[in-house]
């Protein structure tokens, strides 16, 4: 991280200088740690410049000019998601910075860092990587500016993008540069995007609608997006070409091949320190490491296909796994850490219970371009066995000094329902949750669920009955807690009210609700921008106004006093004034009295001869918020929706 570090190692020059928007954390949950250790393992010298002062040219030169290239990543999150809430308000903290301090990186960090490098080092190759560059590799809708932006390659001035999970592509790039090749000649590497001019031979390419076309025609944007979506599989993808003014071409090569199990084992066996750099100790460390320090990554990729998730564009749909031996070896090292208290916080990935490709044919032919594994119904070729995952969890539980192994990265309940064997669900209830099982139905309206790429609500209801039956045999009071999302494309106020009625019948109010956040690289964001479902090219309703989005969110939390007016307005607009009153099924009473008061029974409201006692809050008046039993005997508890939960669901 400094010249002093280089001198201690006897280095005169780094092969690569890696500029990152995060604090430097040497843990395998951080992309910069994996790529730098991967290069190191193959003999390359890597220096890290973490969170440079983007207003100072000197900050980018502290390690000198690298021999081969600068690598640039904005960090583990898109810098705009990192900085702004869905309401475009600035976040007060940054879990990926020392002490959680905000403001340590610029907006659109990958672009800013690359421009900073180019001002100082005119000819040195610049390679972009990480989630921000990966999802912005071609023209994309940018929610924060409400514009269609060009490929990040053009705005950054970089030479190449290594997109997706970059172990294969970065090593091939490194070997080519080390052999003396010019970066402009690296046009053949899978998992990369490069810039060229019209007239250059690009073989077997599919030409996308041009940047100018998708700027002026939203239908063309949706068509282009769907072509990209159908070309995310390394076995079947074509080379894609996007035209820009000035006869500029942006060329996307097919994705890199997925890592084999041995390659995954190698990547996770590198000598990671497992913690943040010690220079951050005075600031209180880096908050982001706390959640993952004692977690185990068992898989990559996801065939779930949720439309609001960018995993298809980044990690792909082919699940890649580590061997049991590799995971157990990491767990054993973990137990020797002085901070380890006996609890493994998670064993999973984007989806915890995916431990193999969805079907056998993927290993030779890849995934289906126009067919999903789980949506709208599970494919008849789906392998839904949980035996491997169950065996892995059993081995981890038996390790010395391990008290409990949690599964927190989320399970696909529809995938569980496809497996007729109760063993996994039983052992999950007995050993791997504590009080709550978090699952993600997201909504209850089948129309909205179709837009989300999620199973029908009846599948979730069937899962709850099965979970209640299996969990009941354990004798434990453990509740299934649903993650819910408001304002997704396809959700009108009618569907939002339907979701509010479901929450009412649950008997508790979610503490937090996930508003749909339009981030690059998702089908849902394409719907949000264009108003078309790119799968069918049919129009789809999109709630865009801040007022309606606030109403949809407030309906899910209708019991909050501050939401009263929003809920009342929403019910009037939806024609559901039958839910305003004192009946058992009503969401809110007809009037509220006093500052900030809503809720309570009919006798607590103005006009009935009784006032609400001054010191009794609304929540106290309604009774404590605690899990309750529903009619089928399945309890549910509170949910706390984490910001950006594991698997880059942002």
């Amino acid at each position: 991280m400094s010249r002093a570090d280089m001198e201690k190692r006897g280095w005169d020059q780094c092969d690569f200088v890696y500029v990152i928007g995060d604090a430097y954390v040497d843990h395998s949950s951080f992309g910069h740690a994996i790529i730098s250790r991967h290069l190191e393992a193959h003999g390359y010298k890597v220096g890290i410049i973490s969170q440079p002062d983007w207003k100072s040219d000197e900050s980018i030169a502290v390690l000198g000019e690298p021999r081969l290239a600068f690598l640039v990543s904005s960090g583990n999150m898109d810098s705009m998601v990192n900085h702004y809430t869905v309401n475009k308000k600035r976040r007060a903290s940054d879990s990926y910075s020392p002490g959680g301090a905000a403001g340590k990186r610029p907006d659109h960090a990958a672009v800013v860092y690359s421009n900073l490098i180019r001002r100082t080092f005119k000819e040195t190759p610049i390679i972009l990587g990480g989630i921000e560059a990966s999802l912005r590799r071609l023209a994309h809708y940018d929610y924060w500016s409400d514009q269609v932006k060009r490929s990040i390659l053009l705005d950054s001035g970089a030479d190449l993008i290594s997109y997706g999970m970059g172990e294969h592509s970065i090593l091939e790039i490194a070997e080519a540069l080390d052999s003396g090749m010019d970066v402009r000649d690296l046009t053949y590497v899978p998992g990369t995007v490069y810039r060229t001019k019209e007239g250059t031979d690009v073989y077997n390419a599919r030409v996308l609608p041009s940047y100018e076309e998708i700027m002026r025609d939203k239908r063309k944007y949706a068509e282009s997006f769907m072509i990209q979506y159908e070309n995310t599989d390394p076995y079947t993808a074509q080379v894609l070409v996007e035209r820009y003014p000035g006869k500029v071409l942006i060329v996307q090569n097919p994705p890199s091949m997925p890592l084999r199990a041995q390659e995954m084992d190698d990547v996770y066996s590198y000598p990671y320190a497992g913690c943040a750099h010690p220079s951050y100790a005075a600031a209180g460390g880096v908050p982001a490491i706390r959640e993952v320090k004692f977690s185990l990554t068992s898989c990559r990729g996801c065939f779930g296909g949720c439309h609001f998730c960018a995993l298809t564009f980044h990690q792909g749909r082919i699940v890649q796994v580590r061997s049991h031996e590799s995971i157990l070896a990491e767990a054993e090292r973990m137990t020797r850490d002085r901070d380890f208290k006996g609890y493994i916080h998670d064993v999973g990935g984007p989806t915890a219970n995916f431990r193999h490709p969805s079907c056998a044919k993927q290993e030779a032919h890849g995934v289906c371009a126009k067919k999903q594994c789980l949506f709208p119904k599970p494919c008849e070729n789906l392998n839904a066995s949980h035996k491997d995952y169950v065996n892995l969890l059993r081995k981890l539980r038996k390790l010395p000094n391990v008290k409990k192994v949690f599964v927190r990265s989320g399970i696909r309940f529809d995938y569980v329902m496809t497996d007729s064997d109760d063993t996994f669900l039983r052992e999950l209830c007995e050993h791997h949750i504590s009080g709550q099982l978090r699952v993600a139905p997201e909504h209850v309206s089948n129309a909205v669920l179709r837009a989300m790429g999620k199973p029908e609500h009846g599948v979730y209801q069937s899962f709850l009955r099965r979970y209640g039956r299996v969990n009941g045999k354990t004798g434990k009071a453990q509740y299934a807690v649903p993650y819910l999302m408001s304002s997704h494309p396809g959700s009108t106020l009618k569907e939002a009210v339907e979701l509010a009625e479901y929450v009412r019948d649950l008997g508790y109010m979610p503490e937090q609700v996930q508003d749909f956040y339009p981030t690059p690289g998702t089908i849902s964001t394409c719907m949000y921008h264009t108003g078309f479902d790119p799968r069918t090219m049919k129009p789809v309703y999109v709630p865009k106004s801040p007022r309606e989005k606030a109403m949809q969110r407030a309906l899910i939390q209708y019991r909050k006093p501050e939401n009263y007016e929003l809920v009342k307005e929403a019910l009037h607009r939806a024609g559901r004034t039958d839910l305003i009153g004192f009946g058992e099924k009503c969401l809110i009473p007809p009037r509220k009295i006093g500052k900030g008061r809503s809720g309570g029974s009919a006798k607590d409201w103005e006009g009935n001869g009784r006032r609400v006692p001054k010191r009794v809050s609304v929540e106290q008046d309604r009774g404590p918020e605690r899990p309750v039993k529903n009619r089928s005997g399945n309890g549910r508890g509170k949910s706390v929706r984490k910001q950006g939960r594991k698997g880059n669901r942002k």
Side-chain angles (χ1 to χ4, degrees), residues 581-593:
F582 299 116
E584 182 182 352
K585 296 293 184 180
C586 292
L587 299 182
I588 57 171
R591 301 183 66 187
K592 67 174 183 175
I593 60 171

Side-chain angles (χ1 to χ4, degrees), residues 265-286:
D265 289 354
D266 291 344
V267 164
Y268 286 90
S269 70
Y270 296 145
Y272 303 101
C275 60
H277 194 275
S279 61
Y280 305 132
V286 180

Side-chain angles (χ1 to χ4, degrees), residues 55 58 82 98 101 110-111 121-122 148 181 300 310 377 401 444 487 507 520 528 542 580 585 589 632:
K55 300 173 185 176
E58 290 75 20
N82 178 280
V111 170
F121 300 97
K122 305 298 184 184
V148 176
M181 286 186 67
R300 281 185 187 175
K377 302 287 185 182
N401 302 317
V444 297
S487 304
Y528 178 88
V542 179
I580 303 174
K585 296 293 184 180
S632 64

